[in-house]
Amino acid sequence: MSDKQDTVILTDDLIQPFQMAEAGVRGRLVRLGKCVDDILNRHDYPEVVARFLGETLVLSAVLGGALKFEGIFTVQTKSDGAITMLASDMTTPGHLRGYAAFDPDKLAEAEGAPSTDLVKQYLGKGYIAFTIDAKDTDQRYQGIVALEGESLSQCMEDYFDKSEQLETKLISSVEKRDGKWRAGGLMIQRLPSEDGRIFNQDAHDEAWRNAEALVSTVQSGELTDRNMRSPELLYRLFHEDGVWLHDPQILQDKCSCSEERFFRTLQTFGATEVEDLADDGVIKTDCQFCSAQYVFKMSDIVGADQGS
């Protein structure tokens, strides 16, 4: 592999899995550059909305990176505040997309009432959910937790601690540097012993507390610094305990929408519904994620439905 390729892989748009075997800790580091910049600029959201969406993209990657099969990992919020919904997903092997919905009037009001609790200030009351869908099967798993935390990352961290009994430390950062969006996230989780027993509980507990403390020292700028490679950051944090790096997973700004998918969806509608959607016999559909537009003739949809 050339030095140029190596720099691209180890700097931006990747998931870097790692493990500290002696400490019983596993984790993933996510770095987003052009990928998050393209997604956020495509929608031209107000800055605070873009920051929250950037965080959901980080969460989709850092959590979706655990998938060992073909599928989709989705992170979505629904709430009663200015930002009513955030949605992002990662489709294996690493295709990211996302969009947000917000009320401009409520957003202006929220910006006029500053608070240290940004989740409460801009999202209000609601929930954050993550969904795992396995490709070509009916297997589906969903977890839901209330929007109670100073960040979306903290909400997800609390979910793992309370619902999965899996001790987790999760941090993220979204910044705009020199006019370009960048984002990053770091998650560690405590591994149970393989046989369900821990021979030295005190040492195991101490190793986890130490790993948590080290993650807490990470500055937000370090997660988004394109000049700091993933191995460099992980080595600086965990070299005393020994950190093993697995192969990184590349991330891309790529939507899963297609003309065929929209066509199939329209076919599920009744003839009356299709007619209501049509304008002069034509139906125009827009993908909320990537803004792609697809145009269909009403006669093709109704005719295909009748012929099936």
Side-chain angles (χ1 to χ4, degrees):
M1 181 178 292
S2 69
D3 291 340
K4 183 177 180 181
Q5 288 175 317
D6 184 62
T7 300
V8 172
I9 292 176
L10 295 178
T11 301
D12 274 345
D13 298 332
L14 64 89
I15 304 170
Q16 176 62 70
F18 62 92
Q19 187 167 340
M20 293 177 285
E22 296 299 323
V25 174
R26 68 183 174 192
R28 285 179 292 280
L29 173 63
V30 168
R31 312 294 293 274
L32 296 178
K34 185 178 186 300
C35 182
V36 69
D37 188 57
D38 287 347
I39 292 173
L40 297 184
N41 285 328
R42 179 177 299 120
H43 297 287
D44 194 26
Y45 293 127
E47 185 166 314
V48 67
V49 178
R51 287 184 182 277
F52 272 108
L53 181 56
E55 187 176 8
T56 67
L57 289 164
V58 171
L59 293 179
S60 292
V62 78
L63 297 171
L67 294 183
K68 303 301 182 184
F69 52 83
E70 288 191 58
I72 302 175
F73 187 97
T74 303
V75 175
Q76 182 173 325
T77 70
K78 283 194 176 181
S79 55
D80 62 4
I83 302 175
T84 55
M85 182 174 68
L86 296 161
S88 66
D89 62 46
M90 189 191 87
T91 302
T92 55
H95 299 161
L96 279 178
R97 63 178 190 167
Y99 78 96
F102 65 97
D103 183 316
D105 294 332
K106 284 187 176 182
L107 191 66
E109 292 178 9
E111 290 175 337
S115 169
T116 56
D117 188 342
L118 296 181
V119 171
K120 183 177 181 180
Q121 180 182 349
Y122 289 103
L123 274 68
K125 296 181 180 179
Y127 66 84
I128 181 170
F130 68 85
T131 307
I132 301 172
D133 285 295
K135 184 180 179 181
D136 299 328
T137 73
D138 293 329
Q139 294 180 356
R140 195 169 193 263
Y141 176 83
Q142 185 174 68
I144 298 176
V145 66
L147 285 169
E148 296 176 353
E150 295 182 359
S151 67
L152 298 181
S153 297
Q154 189 177 89
C155 293
M156 294 301 293
E157 183 180 292
D158 290 342
Y159 170 81
F160 281 106
D161 288 343
K162 297 174 182 177
S163 300
E164 300 291 328
Q165 287 78 53
L166 183 60
E167 292 182 85
T168 301
K169 180 70 176 177
L170 176 57
I171 60 173
S172 62
S173 175
V174 181
E175 294 184 352
K176 201 169 190 179
R177 293 189 171 199
D178 301 322
K180 294 185 179 296
W181 286 103
R182 298 187 59 78
L186 175 60
M187 181 181 75
I188 59 171
Q189 292 181 316
R190 184 174 180 174
L191 291 170
S193 59
E194 292 184 0
D195 59 0
R197 295 175 296 168
I198 298 174
F199 294 103
N200 191 330
Q201 182 69 54
D202 291 339
H204 192 72
D205 291 343
E206 179 61 27
W208 171 250
R209 287 193 294 268
N210 182 60
E212 279 189 304
L214 290 171
V215 170
S216 297
T217 67
V218 177
Q219 302 296 312
S220 60
E222 292 179 301
L223 291 175
T224 58
D225 186 355
R226 67 173 302 161
N227 295 316
M228 179 176 288
R229 296 185 179 187
S230 301
E232 292 173 356
L233 177 56
L234 294 174
Y235 179 77
R236 181 183 71 77
L237 289 173
F238 306 124
H239 67 277
E240 290 186 1
D241 292 311
V243 57
W244 299 349
L245 303 185
H246 301 288
D247 291 338
Q249 182 176 351
I250 305 305
L251 297 169
Q252 300 178 58
D253 162 27
K254 189 172 183 179
C255 189
S256 59
C257 74
S258 68
E259 184 175 22
E260 181 182 2
R261 283 194 174 190
F262 275 99
F263 186 79
R264 287 180 178 177
T265 299
L266 289 171
Q267 279 187 283
T268 64
F269 296 169
T272 302
E273 293 175 294
V274 172
E275 186 175 353
D276 290 340
L277 292 171
D279 183 10
D280 291 331
V282 173
I283 298 175
K284 295 181 179 179
T285 61
D286 296 296
C287 177
Q288 293 175 300
F289 286 96
C290 69
S291 301
Q293 187 178 82
Y294 299 94
V295 180
F296 305 95
K297 292 182 180 179
M298 185 182 72
S299 57
D300 289 340
I301 295 169
V302 176
D305 183 54
Q306 291 175 340
S308 61

